[in-house]
Amino acid sequence: MNFPNDFLWGGAVAANQCEGAYSEDGKGLDIQDVMPKGILSGPTAEPTSDNLKLEAIDFYHRYPEDIKLFAQMGFKVFRTSIAWSRIYPNGDDAEPNEKGLAFYDRLFDECHKYGIEPLVTISHYETPLHLAKAYNGWASHELIGFYERYVRTIFARYKGKVKYWLTFNEINSVLHQPLLSGGIMTPREELSLSDLYQACHHELVASALATKLAHEIMPDAKVGCMVLAMPVYPLTPAPDDMIAVMQADHFNDFFGDMHVRGRYPGYMKRYFRENGITIKMTPEEERLLRENTVDFVSFSYYVSICEGRDGEAGGGNLLGGKKNPYLKTSEWGWQIDPQGLRYTLNRFYDRWQKPLFIVENGLGARDVLVDDGRGGKTVEDDYRIAYLNDHLVQVGEAIADGVPVMGYTTWGCIDLVSASTAQMSKRYGFIYVDRNDDGTGTLARYPKKSFYWYRDVIASNGAVLKA
């Protein structure tokens, strides 16, 4: 495999899934603090003791130890997010929280100590709870202004420390998980299509505004959008199944089209027209979208799906779809499709002609801690090595196809709390964290077998991958 010499190898986490310290140093509550079961049940009135994210893996206090471990693997880049409510505890505060700003100064400085470039997600499923309760999250136009204040603050603060920025995590997921993705308290079934797409519009305008401000405040910075990528295959060659695939692609491509092209595409205008959806927008917002497109497109990749008239429902797949009879599934019902990653990279580049960055990919599995034979503990996670190897081989194929791929950050490079199920037992990391679903555990860190495998992959720039 021939990867570019400047390829950015690394790993990814989100603040709400790893930091913990949910009420320390002036941090306000965010939506995750009242989502103890992830997306499996509604929010609680207040934080409850069964919410593992309140402490998570205590990255807030243990980040020097963890960054050192990432450096031992040879990370070139580390993707994390800033918890909005650490900076503006309520989201609509007049002044930022200095202790929150100082924490990320320390974190980014620690990365740079080892030559690791931070890749920062501005909003990663972490809407301040006050904005969700008082304004109904991104359903409100007012959030654009609060987001602008937040991004101005962090851009001014970290302009010498962070080069790569993502505006919203998996922005297309707001259609399916409005609370998680958009801080919208109204239950999904009670939201009209106009409400949902108006919220999308607010996020898209805010994203364009952030891109504009980043380029003004940090001329050397690169700003990307971030979408949940999920290739769609037809169940049969029937023309009806191909049209179903086209329509499914449209709903996901829409968000990338808006970020790269800056205009509402014709297929969405038709969908809006035929479903009575009205989007309120100003000429200024249209101009903002058109004139402030992203520098690159980033995405998460875990699964592919099928569409067609028949077939079995997709089970564990986050965005639905039908099961592919040719694919195996993970323990959580997600279908495993390495070649779908090559297909996605080619399709996205053909469509958008922008550099691409794979910022999430990984396997959630129930790992077992065992003695390593040297007086320590480890996990023999050959299944994770096989999964990542097979996906990275396909990244190499896409690069050979001519696709400019900036880098690859595996999801949950250290074990953390699952976003969808809020479990610890759904582990993704190269580093085992001793914490259980019931909250017990020492929080001790143990490198897994995959830790050393990934170290060798990075050191060889992909040469040790096995086709």
Side-chain angles (χ1 to χ4, degrees):
M1 293 284 108
N2 291 314
F3 285 75
N5 290 331
D6 60 352
F7 192 79
L8 292 169
W9 297 96
V13 299
N16 71 86
Q17 293 170 257
C18 71
E19 284 181 4
Y22 81 101
S23 62
E24 286 189 40
D25 292 335
K27 180 187 176 293
L29 297 178
D30 63 47
I31 56 169
Q32 296 286 352
D33 297 327
V34 294
M35 297 179 69
K37 304 300 179 189
I39 62 174
L40 302 181
S41 64
T44 54
E46 300 292 337
T48 53
S49 60
D50 61 336
N51 189 341
L52 296 179
K53 287 167 284 191
L54 302 185
E55 184 181 10
I57 62 166
D58 196 30
F59 182 75
Y60 189 78
H61 299 107
R62 296 168 181 254
Y63 70 89
E65 172 189 356
D66 295 336
I67 300 297
K68 185 177 181 179
L69 287 167
F70 301 156
Q72 288 173 12
M73 279 185 279
F75 278 21
K76 312 297 184 188
V77 64
F78 172 53
R79 180 188 172 213
T80 189
S81 62
I82 293 175
W84 187 347
S85 63
R86 283 204 194 282
I87 312 304
Y88 286 96
N90 296 300
D92 61 357
D93 314 78
E95 298 295 332
N97 171 36
E98 173 57 30
K99 288 184 177 180
L101 288 166
F103 166 71
Y104 293 105
D105 272 324
R106 297 193 300 272
L107 174 59
F108 301 149
D109 287 346
E110 195 72 18
C111 289
H112 286 297
K113 186 169 99 176
Y114 297 102
I116 298 172
E117 197 73 49
L119 167 61
V120 175
T121 312
I122 297 168
S123 179
H124 191 137
Y125 295 165
E126 290 155 336
T127 308
L129 185 60
H130 174 72
L131 296 185
K133 286 185 171 181
Y135 301 91
N136 207 21
W138 284 98
S140 169
H141 189 273
E142 290 188 75
L143 260 73
I144 297 173
F146 301 139
Y147 184 84
E148 178 184 3
R149 182 185 302 165
Y150 165 49
V151 298
R152 281 185 184 276
T153 299
I154 60 175
F155 288 168
R157 182 72 171 230
Y158 307 124
K159 62 183 177 183
K161 298 184 179 184
V162 179
K163 180 180 178 181
Y164 300 104
W165 298 88
L166 307 178
T167 54
F168 289 92
N169 180 68
E170 295 181 332
I171 190 169
N172 47 329
S173 63
V174 71
L175 295 176
H176 307 270
Q177 298 294 337
L179 174 59
L180 179 75
S181 186
I184 300 170
M185 297 297 286
T186 304
R188 171 70 177 82
E189 60 275 11
E190 296 176 22
L191 287 167
S192 70
L193 287 174
S194 288
D195 292 335
L196 269 177
Y197 280 97
Q198 189 66 52
C200 294
H201 177 74
H202 295 154
E203 288 197 339
L204 290 165
V205 170
S207 183
L209 183 56
T211 305
K212 177 178 184 289
L213 291 171
H215 290 152
E216 290 172 357
I217 297 170
M218 306 172 292
D220 295 332
K222 301 294 183 185
V223 184
C225 60
M226 198 291 204
V227 296
L228 195 164
M230 199 166 56
V232 187
Y233 307 141
L235 275 169
T236 75
D240 280 351
D241 286 6
M242 286 304 303
I243 295 298
V245 168
M246 180 190 76
Q247 291 174 333
D249 279 337
H250 280 166
F251 284 110
N252 283 328
D253 289 343
F254 161 58
F255 293 87
D257 285 351
M258 291 296 294
H259 278 96
V260 173
R261 298 172 177 168
R263 294 177 174 84
Y264 276 87
Y267 60 81
M268 288 310 295
K269 290 180 178 178
R270 175 181 180 176
Y271 180 75
F272 292 166
R273 188 170 60 246
E274 293 182 352
N275 288 276
I277 299 168
T278 302
I279 303 295
K280 299 173 185 174
M281 74 178 86
T282 66
E284 181 184 0
E285 289 173 349
E286 288 187 86
R287 185 171 61 255
L288 190 69
L289 289 164
R290 188 172 61 251
E291 295 178 355
N292 298 281
T293 54
V294 292
D295 302 308
F296 65 94
V297 174
S298 76
F299 62 92
S300 60
Y301 178 80
Y302 297 100
V303 299
S304 61
I305 60 170
C306 291
E307 287 292 354
R309 290 173 297 180
D310 302 315
E312 185 182 350
N317 293 342
L318 186 61
L319 304 190
K322 305 288 181 69
K323 283 187 177 179
N324 188 328
Y326 294 95
L327 297 178
K328 296 178 181 178
T329 61
S330 75
E331 292 179 71
W332 275 265
W334 292 22
Q335 297 204 278
I336 299 171
D337 179 16
Q339 287 176 287
L341 181 50
R342 177 187 179 186
Y343 172 74
T344 295
L345 286 162
N346 273 272
R347 200 175 77 82
F348 279 4
Y349 186 62
D350 289 347
R351 187 176 188 91
W352 294 318
Q353 296 291 294
K354 292 280 187 181
L356 302 174
F357 205 141
I358 306 153
V359 296
E360 286 187 32
N361 175 237
L363 177 68
R366 297 184 189 276
D367 293 337
V368 177
L369 199 62
V370 298
D371 292 335
D372 65 2
R374 300 186 300 274
K377 295 181 182 297
T378 190
V379 174
E380 299 287 341
D381 57 341
D382 294 281
Y383 43 86
R384 180 168 292 109
I385 292 170
Y387 176 99
L388 294 171
N389 176 87
D390 293 351
H391 282 78
L392 281 167
V393 165
Q394 296 302 321
V395 176
E397 293 289 350
I399 291 169
D401 293 333
V403 178
V405 185
M406 296 168 63
Y408 175 86
T409 59
T410 64
W411 177 246
C413 49
I414 182 170
D415 289 349
L416 36 67
V417 183
S418 166
S420 57
T421 65
Q423 295 170 292
M424 274 300 302
S425 57
K426 188 181 183 184
R427 298 176 182 273
Y428 286 86
F430 300 116
I431 302 160
Y432 185 96
V433 178
D434 182 23
R435 194 169 190 219
N436 305 308
D437 286 347
D438 63 2
T440 60
T442 65
L443 293 175
R445 274 62 166 156
Y446 301 100
K448 305 177 188 177
K449 185 176 181 179
S450 58
F451 178 101
Y452 303 101
W453 170 84
Y454 197 48
R455 179 196 62 188
D456 294 344
V457 170
I458 295 173
S460 70
N461 202 30
V464 301
L465 296 169
K466 297 177 180 178

